[in-house]
Amino acid sequence: MTNPQHQCHGVLAQAICDADPAAQISPELVHHLATRLEPLFNQRVAVFGRESKAQELVPQLVACPGCGGRLAECRSSAAAAIVVDLSGLVQKQHIPLRCRRSSCPDCGVLLWYNYTVRSGCHHFAGELPELNCFMLSATFGFSVPWLQQFHVRMVRQHASFTSEADVLGAQAAYNSQLHLLPTARLRLLISQEWFAWRLLTRVRQSNLDLASFDFLRPMEDMIGLFLPQLQREFGRTTLEEAQKATMRCDVVVLDGNAKNRRAVCGASLAGETFSKELRREVTILQHKLINDGQCLMVLLKETVEPQREAWVSDSAVPASVLSNYLQQVGEAKLKPSKRPRREEEADGRGGSSSSLGPSMLASLTLQEIGRSSDPTDLQCVTCCTHKEGSAAQRQLAKSAGMLCACLSEGLILHMQEIYGCESLSQRYLCLASVKALLPSLRVVVHDDACHLHKYDSEAAAQIAPPEMKYVRDKFHMAGHTDAWCKETCDPALPANASLLQGIRTSVCEFTFTWLSKYKHQTKHMNKHGFQFFLLDMAWSHNEIILQGGYRPEEVAGSAALEGTD
């Protein structure tokens, strides 16, 4: 980042010269005065770019990226901008630059503070560490110190986009600047700014190409471009830092966090992966046309408990179910006799019916893609510790949670989104990913270790017993009543106790007291934003632990768990 004191010196020198139109003050004296005034103003003058006047915002670039020629200011395209800074709202005249060489491929392209406008796209430009502010558009942005402070408060104090919008609004009102803020969109702007800034930070940290970053594209799409690489980089860097710190990496604690979850819709999978069992479990009661006959909606009902109903689009219905229903409707219309009374009249239902929205559709999706475990896998151990009962599935019918693998010191090594409930197949997939990342893994501590042990007995040799040891954690002892479980997965057994020497088996519970406080923010997010938000929070959480900033048991609310290990 460019030295702000040097920038402040230049602005003060220019201000002194502007106040002396007769040029009675020598350049040496101007320099001396600016140097003496600099300590008084360097925290009060908001200078973010290469501007020489405090009321302007000019990009840091000097030479054209295309030809190397000198860039010229394009004041005719300047825009009045607001920059949110630690000191309050700063009004700037945002002046873009452009190259005037006709032979340059970038001739006429406008270069704003941190992006260029080319072919209708706003591509990121500049060096991220040198930026002192971050502009979402030509008229609104945030200073990097403000973003850094906000991010620290998000990690340590669980600040939210909504609460920060309220604080900014109250501060602006106190300073009589409320008219400068887009109050109706402020929460959205803060969210977009944070996601863009954190995504660029992590992409640059992972040495990925920033050329495809476009500020005009939906942030969900931009995150989706980089998320798989960032997830791999997160695991790799966390493991490297843990090994440098000589942490034990042969034992991980696996647990699911159902507090952070989001609404899930299964419509995107319609007609692609519906199973034969699902086709037999739903039926169409009636249909209606909406949008002037352009869209067909059908009323689905489950033929098995709990027999929920929901209006859905025809595209979200298995092809065979829809075809059979339409055939029945056609045959009924061809009959010469009077059409029978509709079923809903016999049952006393009105035309609007009882609609549960996408919840029923989401639960169907969970069944169709095999997210629930086979009953034989759940009954192989008599411990009532699995989380796939009917109550759990109804509670999570519309939501997803996160499976986390943690090291004893509190580092989150791997995060994976789960759907519906913590099915054995999803836990197996998560464990396989952790094993691929951490070949030295030998012991898995889990609250439902007995079922996972039995399930993985027929899995790949690398994670199957006896190559992998499965032990339950001390915090979830209740419910483990099976004799085989007590003889195999009990952490108090001498063989298991020696493996867990110095390991905090309840580390996930400590970590989740911190992670769960984001639940009010994550429930409104889409898939990629949800996963990246928690990934970046976990990344920052790990960095704080590695720097000795706090330990998981120091997080507020975890005191009740102390003494469990």
Side-chain angles (χ1 to χ4, degrees):
M1 189 179 300
T2 306
N3 188 350
Q5 293 187 355
H6 176 73
Q7 294 174 319
C8 181
H9 182 281
V11 170
L12 289 173
Q14 183 62 42
I16 294 172
C17 292
D18 293 343
D20 181 32
Q24 296 297 313
I25 304 177
S26 65
E28 293 77 10
L29 183 56
V30 170
H31 175 76
H32 175 73
L33 291 174
T35 302
R36 295 298 298 270
L37 292 173
E38 183 179 324
L40 301 175
F41 287 90
N42 58 13
Q43 298 298 327
R44 295 174 173 84
V45 178
V47 181
F48 305 118
R50 197 167 45 84
E51 59 267 18
S52 58
K53 296 183 179 181
Q55 67 270 23
E56 295 180 349
L57 175 62
V58 181
Q60 302 277 13
L61 292 174
V62 176
C64 174
C67 65
R70 186 171 181 81
L71 294 170
E73 295 181 355
C74 186
R75 292 185 172 270
S76 61
S77 299
I82 300 296
V83 180
V84 179
D85 192 23
L86 294 176
S87 59
L89 302 182
V90 180
Q91 300 183 63
K92 291 281 189 177
Q93 194 69 11
H94 192 181
I95 302 174
L97 306 177
R98 66 179 179 182
C99 180
R100 293 182 175 178
R101 287 188 179 180
S102 58
S103 59
C104 177
D106 292 335
C107 179
V109 173
L110 292 181
L111 287 82
W112 296 90
Y113 184 81
N114 54 265
Y115 64 88
T116 60
V117 180
R118 182 184 291 105
S119 301
C121 299
H122 289 189
H123 293 292
F124 174 76
E127 294 294 330
L128 196 60
E130 297 181 0
L131 298 180
N132 295 308
C133 73
F134 201 78
M135 303 298 293
L136 270 179
S137 64
T139 59
F140 195 82
F142 294 79
S143 70
V144 171
W146 186 93
L147 289 170
Q148 291 172 338
Q149 183 189 81
F150 174 52
H151 178 69
V152 170
R153 290 194 295 107
M154 286 187 72
V155 178
R156 291 181 175 269
Q157 301 175 351
H158 300 88
S160 68
F161 304 119
T162 302
S163 65
E164 200 62 27
D166 294 340
V167 170
L168 278 180
Q171 183 184 18
Y174 180 79
N175 296 329
S176 301
Q177 295 180 314
L178 190 59
H179 63 284
L180 300 177
L181 275 180
T183 52
R185 300 185 298 118
L186 187 55
R187 191 209 67 82
L188 177 61
L189 290 173
I190 295 175
S191 173
Q192 290 179 336
E193 183 84 13
W194 182 87
F195 271 103
W197 176 61
R198 294 308 300 171
L199 180 60
L200 282 170
T201 300
R202 294 304 182 189
V203 168
R204 178 184 174 276
Q205 181 180 339
S206 304
N207 296 319
L208 301 178
D209 186 15
L210 294 173
S212 58
F213 195 96
D214 181 8
F215 285 93
L216 290 186
R217 289 189 63 180
M219 188 53 59
E220 180 79 1
D221 295 343
M222 294 308 307
I223 294 174
L225 289 177
F226 299 103
L227 187 59
Q229 301 96 308
L230 293 179
Q231 290 172 331
R232 291 192 293 269
E233 185 67 15
F234 166 75
R236 186 189 66 81
T237 55
T238 301
L239 179 58
E240 286 184 357
E241 294 298 327
Q243 292 173 340
K244 289 180 182 177
T246 65
M247 297 180 181
R248 282 193 62 178
C249 297
D250 61 328
V251 181
V252 299
V253 183
L254 182 68
D255 201 1
N257 178 258
K259 296 292 192 299
N260 284 287
R261 57 194 189 188
R262 61 184 179 86
V264 177
C265 178
S268 61
L269 299 176
E272 296 181 3
T273 56
F274 280 92
S275 64
K276 295 180 179 179
E277 289 75 14
L278 176 63
R279 293 190 178 100
R280 293 195 297 266
E281 292 176 357
V282 294
T283 185
I284 299 177
L285 300 180
Q286 57 177 295
H287 69 278
K288 62 182 178 181
L289 295 175
I290 61 174
N291 297 336
D292 296 329
Q294 299 299 315
C295 181
L296 174 65
M297 301 291 292
V298 297
L299 178 61
L300 280 184
K301 181 180 179 179
E302 293 176 314
T303 58
V304 296
E305 292 297 333
Q307 295 188 342
R308 292 165 294 187
E309 300 178 6
W311 282 98
V312 299
S313 172
D314 64 329
S315 61
V317 182
S320 61
V321 176
L322 183 62
S323 176
N324 291 337
Y325 172 77
L326 295 178
Q327 183 178 357
Q328 294 174 6
V329 172
E331 292 176 351
K333 287 188 175 182
L334 292 176
K335 288 182 179 180
S337 59
K338 184 178 179 181
R339 294 175 61 187
R341 295 177 60 189
R342 297 193 306 178
E343 292 183 10
E344 63 269 18
E345 294 177 355
D347 295 339
R349 283 193 304 268
S352 59
S353 89
S354 174
S355 176
L356 298 180
S359 60
M360 190 271 258
L361 180 58
S363 65
L364 298 181
T365 304
L366 301 177
Q367 298 175 38
E368 59 162 81
I369 56 181
R371 294 270 164 72
S372 299
S373 301
D374 191 288
T376 57
D377 291 325
L378 300 179
Q379 296 168 7
C380 63
V381 181
T382 59
C383 297
C384 299
T385 54
H386 67 81
K387 303 176 183 178
E388 301 184 49
S390 57
Q393 293 193 28
R394 284 197 300 271
Q395 181 184 7
L396 298 177
K398 294 197 304 178
S399 304
M402 296 295 289
L403 268 177
C404 297
C406 298
L407 298 182
S408 177
E409 288 76 8
L411 293 186
I412 301 175
L413 187 64
H414 180 75
M415 302 181 75
Q416 176 180 304
E417 189 172 14
I418 53 177
Y419 300 89
C421 56
E422 292 182 40
S423 62
L424 289 170
S425 57
Q426 292 184 93
R427 283 181 275 170
Y428 167 77
L429 176 61
C430 179
L431 183 57
S433 301
V434 175
K435 180 63 176 179
L437 173 67
L438 185 59
S440 61
L441 178 62
R442 293 294 179 268
V443 182
V444 175
V445 180
H446 185 46
D447 56 357
D448 189 29
C450 48
H451 284 101
L452 192 59
H453 181 288
K454 288 284 190 178
Y455 186 86
D456 290 348
S457 297
E458 300 179 1
Q462 293 85 350
I463 61 175
E467 178 71 17
M468 189 73 70
K469 192 74 173 179
Y470 294 87
V471 185
R472 66 176 185 262
D473 68 285
K474 297 179 181 179
F475 188 71
H476 295 90
M477 298 293 287
H480 287 277
T481 57
D482 188 87
W484 174 87
C485 175
K486 294 181 178 180
E487 296 173 357
T488 308
C489 302
D490 193 334
L493 294 173
N496 293 339
S498 62
L499 293 174
L500 300 179
Q501 186 69 31
I503 297 296
R504 297 185 306 158
T505 60
S506 298
V507 63
C508 282
E509 302 304 324
F510 294 131
T511 304
F512 289 165
T513 58
W514 163 81
L515 188 65
S516 296
K517 294 180 180 179
Y518 296 109
K519 61 183 180 181
H520 298 296
Q521 299 189 64
T522 56
K523 65 182 179 182
H524 300 296
M525 295 180 180
N526 292 327
K527 176 181 178 180
H528 295 143
F530 171 86
Q531 294 180 4
F532 175 75
F533 178 85
L534 292 179
L535 179 73
D536 190 69
M537 290 296 104
W539 212 326
S540 301
H541 170 81
N542 291 348
E543 291 169 349
I544 292 177
I545 292 179
L546 291 168
Q547 295 168 3
Y550 62 72
R551 292 177 64 84
E553 61 264 38
E554 297 172 354
V555 179
S558 64
L561 297 175
E562 291 186 4
T564 58
D565 282 13

